[in-house]
Amino acid sequence: WMKIALFLLVVALIASCYGQAASCKAAEELTNGVQVKGDTKNGQEYVACGEIPMNQVVFYKYTKTTVGPVTITLCGEETDFATTLFVESSCDFPECYDAPVTDFCGEQSVLTLYEVEFGATIIIGVGCESIGDIGCGGGEFQLKVYESDVVFEVETEYIPISEGQSILSQTLPFRVPLHICGYFEDFTDIQLFGYETLYSGSEITFSTCADYVISDMAVFFVDFLEGEPLDVCVNYVLQYSPITPQESPFCTEITVTGFPVGRLLYVAIPLATYYDSPTTRGVGGCDVIEVERAVERGILGEPRDCPVFLEVREPPLNDQCVDAFPVETNEEVTGTLRGATAQTSSCVDPNLSSGQMVYYTYTTASDTASILTFVCSPVESTIDIELHIFSSCDLGECVERFITCYDFPSMETGPNTQLIIGVTSQGFREGTFTFKIEEVALEHCNPEGPEYECATSFELETDHMCDGVQCVTITEEDLYLGYCFDYNECDCAITRVTGLEEENEPYITVGMELTSALPHYPVYSIATNENGVSTDVCSFRINVNDKCNPNGPELIPREQPVYVSTRSSCTTATGERCGIVPPFFQGICTDNKNCACSVYQIDQEFAPGSKLTKGTYQATIGARNELGFESEPGEVTIVVN
């Protein structure tokens, strides 16, 4: 029974939320190609690779699944500090795969490793480098580990590449001259990739940032003019030209948008640039002339130093909350987390990493409260998803979280409420999913009446006297009746019920004095909602216990006699030898738990200080509690020798 703000929110579908660990032993496992969002605030100090002191280090682990190189990147808009990245072989006696890197794409770090074997597990550390005795300020980061597929030869006119894929091409250069983008007409030695768009109007990013060699790049497509093919330039990056020298960026990326589904885009990466001369690739060391000679000699299997990396990213159109897709009641939605951006979810522990998200909006159709049920199909989904319900697009307030969608989770909402629902895969995974939202309107108030949690019976203890009888005064707190609740927006009230008391039972009110004369005092009440529907009568009892026993305390006299010896210095008025009664322990008394009592001697004839001649005497004692109630008298034996 929750009340949701009038402007709630949407349905974000997240690839799961697991923790970045502050210790190497607790490092969480990452998945190939899936981006996560983390934070270094709980990281620890660590000496990376045995020599670089770092602060706020958190750890992940990754197991190699192919034979190609593996790239670890922190580049992206979700990383908000100058990162340091390192990779070690294990937690115990680690070997460093590469020196820690502090930048490559600006202040953010990238490492590409060739020497990690298939099946090997690596430890990834993310933090910031200490400078002398001065620490560093960490922050949030996005982390992605992906492996590149190695291509040695293709039979088509281009190297096909798909979303989320990274390719390391070591094919021979394509020998097709291109006349595109103004600057590329002279380059006949290129690596040419082809990519078919997944969505209409999406943003597509082509990146060579896994490679430390800075490359030129052009993106184009083929159109037809009067039946003749025409290469249409979309965008290009020329890293260096002797005509227009400029500082090279950290890596080559081109983002394009505005294409229909299935558009074939070409990406051309020249192996020769104007950096040094038309026949060398500048800082890369790929000698096109040597490649040509190898081809002429027919030595196609000879190792070639001409690798080209290309990665493609095309996030879904509802990758950001502001671009959430609207969903109708009972509409079956098919979506994907493939290529989505990792963002922080308030539905999980802030110390845990968050995964990739996509978003949907849903507005309840009912003018009254309603029940929403989420239905997911395990047959048509490749991943199990979590649903995260948010109150706004800043994702700062989590209204509800369902850890699986397969058990028909449901929630109550208010009338005409807009929702944002977040969904996370079970583990850092990408894949497709299907779901629909079923809505059942609730009546304004429960036709069977509200739920009523009645107060329970309790005990009171008397604390003063009323006309010689122990009593206690009833307070407003004593007559607390309990609480009730009904459907969202339907109020309820609790009222007392009279006339159900037995003949000798009074109607209890505040200020009334109660005694223990009755075994209990009943209180009857009901709860009624706005529609006038009431619950069954609920009752509880007030039991009154006397503080002190009205029959007086229990007296336990001493068992041993009090022995007194006569002496010559003690004589009675008649001249008889006597003894003087000393102070003596008389006995003990007990009463109710919170009532004090005391023992006293009734007769003074045998009180301490009295002179007694030889003989046996019986002293009478009694006990009295704090309210003055007396016990039956008892006796203590006094023997005078």
Side-chain angles (χ1 to χ4, degrees), residues 373-391:
T373 301
F374 299 91
V375 181
C376 295
S377 171
V379 176
E380 299 181 23
S381 301
T382 61
I383 55 174
D384 187 10
I385 54 177
E386 287 189 13
L387 301 175
H388 291 199
I389 317 299
F390 300 105
S391 64

Side-chain angles (χ1 to χ4, degrees), residues 91-250:
C91 294
D92 301 317
F93 311 106
E95 296 181 4
C96 193
Y97 275 102
D98 204 338
V101 294
T102 56
D103 60 43
F104 179 63
C105 49
E107 294 184 329
Q108 301 157 7
S109 310
V110 178
L111 271 175
T112 295
L113 305 175
Y114 294 83
E115 62 271 29
V116 181
E117 296 181 354
F118 172 80
T121 297
I122 58 175
I123 301 298
I124 300 166
V126 179
C128 49
E129 185 176 347
S130 302
I131 302 175
D133 295 331
I134 302 175
C136 60
E140 295 184 337
F141 59 87
Q142 66 181 59
L143 172 64
K144 183 177 180 181
V145 181
Y146 60 89
E147 300 182 33
S148 296
D149 298 323
V150 183
V151 176
F152 291 99
E153 59 180 334
V154 292
E155 297 179 357
T156 58
E157 62 180 8
Y158 60 85
I159 303 169
I161 189 170
S162 58
E163 196 286 324
Q165 186 181 22
S166 176
I167 287 181
L168 171 59
S169 173
Q170 292 187 324
T171 65
L172 288 172
F174 288 86
R175 309 298 297 167
V176 179
L178 291 176
H179 304 280
I180 55 172
C181 299
Y183 287 94
F184 286 82
E185 62 271 11
D186 296 326
F187 301 133
T188 59
D189 299 297
I190 63 169
Q191 296 284 19
L192 185 64
F193 298 84
Y195 176 75
E196 289 191 12
T197 58
L198 296 178
Y199 316 109
S200 177
S202 60
E203 288 190 350
I204 307 150
T205 299
F206 302 99
S207 174
T208 64
C209 290
D211 192 359
Y212 300 132
V213 177
I214 299 172
S215 309
D216 297 343
M217 182 190 296
V219 179
F220 66 97
F221 65 90
V222 177
D223 203 351
F224 289 88
L225 180 63
E226 296 180 355
E228 295 296 323
L230 175 67
D231 296 334
V232 180
C233 178
V234 178
N235 201 354
Y236 70 94
V237 171
L238 188 64
Q239 297 293 2
Y240 183 84
S241 168
I243 302 174
T244 58
Q246 57 185 342
E247 183 178 351
S248 296
F250 298 98

